[in-house]
C-alpha cells in the first residue's frame, strides 16, 4: 500500500512481505498467499494513510494490481481497491503489474523520457521492450523458457540456498571467483533479442553433482565459484542482448526494472554498457525493483492523469494479461 501525491511525490509506502510464509514451503502456496492477503490488507491501508498524514477522504483515486498473477491474491487486493474507490466516489484504476515495474523509475527525481528501451527482468518475465509512450509497448524479444529471476532462484535452490534464492545467490557470488565456472549463454551468439535460461539449471546441477561425487562438500569456495558463474552467465546474456537492442534502435535512454534489476552485478554491467554508448540509464531505487505498491500507484496516477479510462464497477483480476495488449489511454 502506498500513498502518492501528484505534486509532493510519494508520501508513504508499506509492504508486508510474505517471504517468511513462502520460505516455510520453499515457494508460494496460492491459497495461503490469498488468505494472508485478507488478514494483512486493512491494517496496511491504515498504516500507510497514517504515515502519509492523510485520510481516505483526501484520496482522488485508487490504483490496484489487476494482474497478471495468482488470481486469489489479486482478487483480495482488487476487491478492496475497487470497493474503496466506490465508497469514496473516486475512480479505480486497474494496473498491469508489469506496467508498474516499467513505470517505477517515475518515482525517482530523474525521469526517463519516451521513447526508451526497457529491460524488464523479474521472477516471471525477461523482456526487451521499446517503450514509445504510456501503454505503447513494442516487444523486441523475451525469454524462450525460464525468466532471469527464475534462473537465479532455481540455481540458488540447487546450491541449497533458502527461498527466495536470487538475492542469496548474489550475496554468495560476491565471494566467488570469476571464470572458474563457465555456464552456457545459449542465445548470446544468435541474432535477435531473445533469451534462454533453462539450460543453466542443468549445467549448475551437473557442477553441483560433480563436486559431490568428488567428495567436495556443499559449502566452501566451490559453491561461491558456482554462484559467481551463474550470476556471470545471466548478467552477460542480459547485457549482450540489451547492448544489441540499443545499438540497433539507436535509443538513447535505457530503463531497467523488475526484481532482478536489484542485482548489483547486473546494474554495474548495464551501467558500463550504457555509458560506453552515451546512453542514459535509469533504475528504480532498490526497494522499488522488487514488487511494491509505489510502482502501482505511480502507474495508476499516470493513467488517471492521461484520462480516457472508462469507469465501470467491475473488480478486475486477471491471471493472464499480456503486457502487449495494453493500449495508450484513450486509444
Ligand atoms: O519483480 P519481482 O519482485 O517479482 C515478480 O514479479 O516476479 O521479482 C522477483 C525476482 C525473484 O526471482 C528474485 O530472486 C529476483 O527477482 N531478485 C534478484 C535479486 N533481488 C530479487 N535476483 C538477483 N539478484 C538480486 N539482488
Ligand atoms: Zn514483479
Amino acid at each position: 500500500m502506498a500513498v502518492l501525491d501528484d505534486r509532493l511525490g510519494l508520501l508513504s509506502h508499506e509492504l508486508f512481505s510474505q517471504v517468511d510464509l513462502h520460505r516455510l514451503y520453499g515457494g508460494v502456496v496460492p491459497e495461503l498467499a490469498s488468505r494472508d492477503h485478507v488478514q494483512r490488507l486493512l491494517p496496511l491501508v491504515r498504516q500507510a494513510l497514517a504515515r502519509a498524514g492523510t485520510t481516505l477522504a483526501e484520496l482522488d483515486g485508487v490504483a490496484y494490481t489487476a494482474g497478471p498473477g495468482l488470481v486469489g491474491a489479486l482478487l483480495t487486493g482488487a476487491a478492496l481497491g475497487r470497493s474503496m474507490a466506490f465508497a469514496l466516489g473516486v475512480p479505480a484504476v486497474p494496473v498491469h503489474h508489469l506496467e508498474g515495474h516499467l513505470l517505477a523509475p517515475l518515482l525517482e527525481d530523474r525521469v526517463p523520457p519516451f521513447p526508451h528501451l526497457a529491460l524488464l527482468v523479474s521472477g516471471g518475465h525477461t523482456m526487451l521492450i521499446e517503450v514509445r509512450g504510456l501503454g505503447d509497448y513494442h516487444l523486441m524479444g523475451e525469454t524462450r523458457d525460464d525468466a532471469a529471476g527464475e534462473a537465479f532462484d532455481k540455481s540458488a535452490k540447487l546450491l541449497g540456498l533458502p527461498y527466495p534464492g536470487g538475492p542469496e545467490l548474489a550475496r554468495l557470488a560476491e565471494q566467488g571467483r570469476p571464470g572458474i565456472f563457465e555456464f552456457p549463454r545459449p542465445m548470446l551468439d544468435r541474432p535477435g533479442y531473445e533469451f534462454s535460461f533453462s539450460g543453466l539449471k542443468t549445467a549448475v546441477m551437473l557442477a553441483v553433482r560433480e563436486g559431490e561425487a568428488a567428495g567436495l562438500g556443499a559449502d566452501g569456495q566451490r559453491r561461491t565459484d558456482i554462484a559467481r558463474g551463474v550470476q556471470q552467465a545471466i548478467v552477460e546474456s542480459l547485457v549482450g542482448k540489451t547492448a544489441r537492442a540499443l545499438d540497433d534502435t539507436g535509443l538513447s535512454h535505457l530503463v531497467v526494472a523488475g526484481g532482478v534489476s536489484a542485482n548489483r552485478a547486473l546494474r554495474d554491467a548495464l551501467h558500463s554498457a550504457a555509458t560506453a554508448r552515451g546512453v542514459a540509464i535509469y533504475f528504480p531505487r532498490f526497494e522499488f525493483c522488487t514488487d511494491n505498491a509505489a510502482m502501482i500507484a505511480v502507474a495508476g496516477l499516470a493513467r488517471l492523469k492521461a484520462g480516457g479510462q472508462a469507469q465501470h464497477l467491475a473488480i478486475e483480476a486477471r491471471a493472464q494479461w499480456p503486457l502487449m495488449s495494453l493500449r495508450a489511454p484513450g486509444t
Side-chain angles (χ1 to χ4, degrees):
M1 167 78 190
V3 182
L4 183 65
D5 183 290
D6 193 15
R7 279 181 308 111
L8 303 175
L10 194 63
L11 300 183
S12 70
H13 58 104
E14 299 291 321
L15 177 79
F16 182 86
S17 171
Q18 292 190 327
V19 161
D20 289 342
L21 173 69
H22 301 328
R23 192 179 289 129
L24 286 175
Y25 302 91
V28 180
V29 181
E31 187 53 29
L32 292 182
S34 25
R35 286 184 199 189
D36 199 51
H37 271 65
V38 173
Q39 291 181 326
R40 307 288 175 195
L41 277 181
L42 285 176
L44 217 53
V45 168
R46 287 196 196 98
Q47 208 169 307
L49 287 169
R51 290 249 164 97
T54 188
T55 58
L56 282 174
E58 285 190 288
L59 300 182
D60 297 315
V62 182
Y64 64 88
T65 307
L70 294 172
V71 85
L74 287 171
L75 264 174
T76 319
L80 177 63
R82 189 63 199 90
S83 314
M84 274 171 64
F86 178 71
L88 299 170
V90 298
V93 193
V95 172
H96 193 292
H97 174 79
L98 297 180
E99 183 165 79
H101 276 304
L102 282 179
L103 300 183
L106 300 186
L107 290 160
E108 308 306 331
D109 292 338
R110 230 174 106 253
V111 169
F114 299 123
H116 58 251
L117 182 71
L119 173 67
L120 182 58
V121 272
S122 71
H125 295 85
T126 301
M127 297 174 160
L128 274 168
I129 303 163
E130 188 183 330
V131 179
R132 296 172 181 160
L134 176 64
D136 191 359
Y137 309 125
H138 171 74
L139 181 66
M140 295 187 67
E142 62 184 329
T143 181
R144 290 189 170 185
D145 39 58
D146 292 353
E150 205 176 346
F152 265 107
D153 295 342
K154 286 179 176 171
S155 303
K157 200 167 186 178
L158 289 167
L159 288 171
L161 295 168
Y163 173 92
E168 296 279 343
L169 188 143
R171 217 166 293 139
L172 204 60
E174 277 173 27
Q175 297 143 38
R177 294 166 296 177
I180 305 289
F181 286 91
E182 289 287 345
F183 292 119
R185 296 131 165 85
M187 304 298 289
L188 203 51
D189 51 3
R190 294 205 211 158
Y193 313 102
E194 289 192 314
F195 305 93
S196 167
F197 294 108
S198 67
L200 192 57
K201 56 182 183 285
T202 317
V204 173
M205 191 165 64
L206 290 175
V208 170
R209 279 201 193 143
E210 225 170 70
E212 285 166 356
L216 302 169
D219 294 323
Q221 189 67 47
R222 184 182 171 88
R223 193 153 162 263
T224 59
D225 290 342
I226 294 177
R228 181 67 177 248
V230 168
Q231 180 169 272
Q232 254 183 315
I234 297 173
V235 167
E236 269 178 41
S237 299
L238 294 173
V239 175
K241 293 289 166 122
T242 306
R244 183 182 295 168
L246 286 172
D247 292 340
D248 293 352
T249 56
L251 289 166
S252 52
H253 299 270
L254 171 66
V255 161
V256 191
V260 182
S261 67
N263 184 272
R264 185 38 78 195
L266 178 65
R267 287 168 92 101
D268 290 348
L270 283 169
H271 191 269
S272 304
T275 311
R277 289 168 173 77
V279 167
I281 188 162
Y282 307 81
F283 300 100
R285 79 191 81 156
F286 279 107
E287 61 204 302
F288 298 150
C289 290
T290 43
D291 292 349
N292 66 88
M295 72 185 195
I296 302 303
V298 89
L301 180 62
R303 287 209 166 254
L304 201 57
K305 276 167 64 180
Q309 298 250 100
Q311 281 301 320
H312 50 80
L313 292 177
I315 294 167
E316 289 191 37
R318 307 183 197 182
Q320 311 270 348
W321 189 9
L323 178 66
M324 299 307 141
S325 71
L326 293 187
R327 293 288 166 262
T331 62

